[in-house]
Amino acid sequence: MSLSAQTYLEVQDLALRFWAVVDEVDDTPGASLFTADGTLGIESFRATGTEELTRYFTARRALSVERQRGTRHLCSNLRFLPGEAVRMAATVTVFSGTGARPLPLEAPSSLADFTFECVETSDGWRFRAVYGALVFAGSDTPDLKKAAAAAKGDPS
């Protein structure tokens, strides 16, 4: 499948909007970026479907407020992957910290490889799946077991 410049820009915008939602600089509900049966997976963590994704993004935001944790995810090397579907790959570098802003600048807290599988819907491009694999993880990398429990509705 070849990719038009317009499609590339629209899918790039979707991927960058995802990170803006994660970093809480965009109030778009995170689950709305996915298809109704879309999946977010990072390492062993999985959230599938609108309900689980909504719980995950809600719990993530609440935990960030509780811990006064701020993040910025830098999405680089975004590139089209060949195949039948519209798939993009990227490298994501994460900076994080806790406390009042401005936060002290430290080394990145993690670096991961991400794949975005996108589909065009009547409402524009959405994710069918977003998968991440950590390459480097620092001491501030979140515990994904808690994220998985939140997505499944377990408040512990």
Side-chain angles (χ1 to χ4, degrees), residues 57-142:
F57 282 106
T58 300
R60 187 185 194 292
R61 196 167 283 245
L63 191 57
S64 291
V65 169
E66 176 187 315
R67 293 186 178 168
Q68 293 185 326
R69 183 173 187 262
T71 60
R72 288 297 180 270
H73 292 71
L74 306 180
C75 182
S76 60
N77 302 329
L78 189 64
R79 62 211 178 274
F80 173 66
L81 297 173
E84 295 300 314
V86 174
R87 291 177 45 239
M88 305 291 277
T91 302
V92 176
T93 306
V94 184
F95 289 87
S96 62
T98 56
R101 291 186 183 172
L103 299 168
L105 183 61
E106 305 280 341
S109 60
S110 62
L111 185 133
D113 293 326
F114 271 81
T115 303
F116 305 94
E117 185 176 329
C118 307
V119 295
E120 191 169 18
T121 72
S122 60
D123 296 323
W125 286 93
R126 298 291 182 263
F127 295 121
R128 178 178 297 147
V130 174
Y131 292 111
L134 290 168
V135 178
F136 300 102
S139 62
D140 194 31
T141 301

